[in-house]
Amino acid sequence: MLQGLIFDVDGTLADTEEIHRLAFNQTFTDFGLDWNWNPDLYEELLVTSGGKERITQYAKAFEPERAATPDFSDFVRRLHNQKTALYAEMLTSGHIRLRPGVERLLHAARSAGLTLGIATSSAWSNAKALLDNNLGRNWQSWFAAIETSDTVTEKKPAPAVYQAVLDRLRLAPKHCIAIEDTENGLAAARAAGLATVITTHRFTRNRRFMGAALVLDGLGEPDQPMTVTRGSIKRPYVDLAFLERVLADYKDVGSSTYWEQQLLVLA
Ligand code: XBP
């Protein structure tokens, strides 16, 4: 049943949104802007996928006159290029590691002959910096499809990036599971027909994630158990056998998470 796993990058493979936030703020300073995205504001701004889109949304709300200037989109592009370069430096110097359970699940999936994909609204260079530092130089060969904002311009919650990965994997959505961290990611994966497992973090743990197959605070490790945010499962970590069961039982009725549905059935 389970033939493919498709991973989001930021917030899912690693807790990178804090590094993005710091890179945005340093870039604003470098550009002489008095903009500062504190964690609570960044949590709100994350409802906009894509760094350039996020900057544009923020400017329209807080400096509409600047957003209305004719060279604004070029200004945003230059600002974002600088931020992306800074982000890669911060990622490397910060020794940012993959989230608990990610590398374990990647190795298990490869050993089991599953097909792996990456679907992110972030830049290719962001994913490359993170995975070069954590999985070694030949990590790209682990993934049969890697789609980023460099190859798919439409950002999540649009399903385009997941559809592009599924096309390249040549797998039906019903044989795959997406692993995500945001409501936009959940909406994008579901719109592409994918059962979606959510792993929350500081910037997303207050969201509802309706329609998710599972909502967890991470994939867990035998010595670092995960917490199931909603549902009655008691298990320390996600493995392939468990994902097989989630996929086999999952029906997306669009109005409740898998486990609330199960609770309804059990009741
Ligand atoms: C996360 C995003 C990205 C990052 C910042 O993408 O929405 O915008 O926050 O990266 P995903 P960029 O969850 O799909 O990995 O500045 O390169 O957009």
Side-chain angles (χ1 to χ4, degrees), residues 31-32 53 62 66 80 92 107 119 121 129 141 151 161 163 172 179-180 192 221 227 245:
F31 273 64
E53 294 78 358
F62 292 91
R66 178 189 295 273
H80 190 253
T92 303
H107 285 302
S121 290
S141 66
T151 51
V161 69
Q163 287 162 341
I179 303 181
E180 268 286 355
E221 293 286 18
T227 303
R245 178 185 147 199

Side-chain angles (χ1 to χ4, degrees), residues 8-10 17 20 24 42 46 48-52 54 80 83-84 119-123 126 149 155-156 180-182:
D8 162 55
V9 175
D10 291 302
E17 287 298 352
H20 281 297
F24 279 116
Y42 195 66
L46 268 178
T48 301
S49 285
K52 290 193 286 288
R54 200 167 299 146
H80 190 253
K83 173 263 173 184
T84 299
T120 175
S121 290
S122 186
N126 295 346
S149 62
K155 301 290 189 322
K156 300 170 185 175
E180 268 286 355
D181 69 311
T182 64

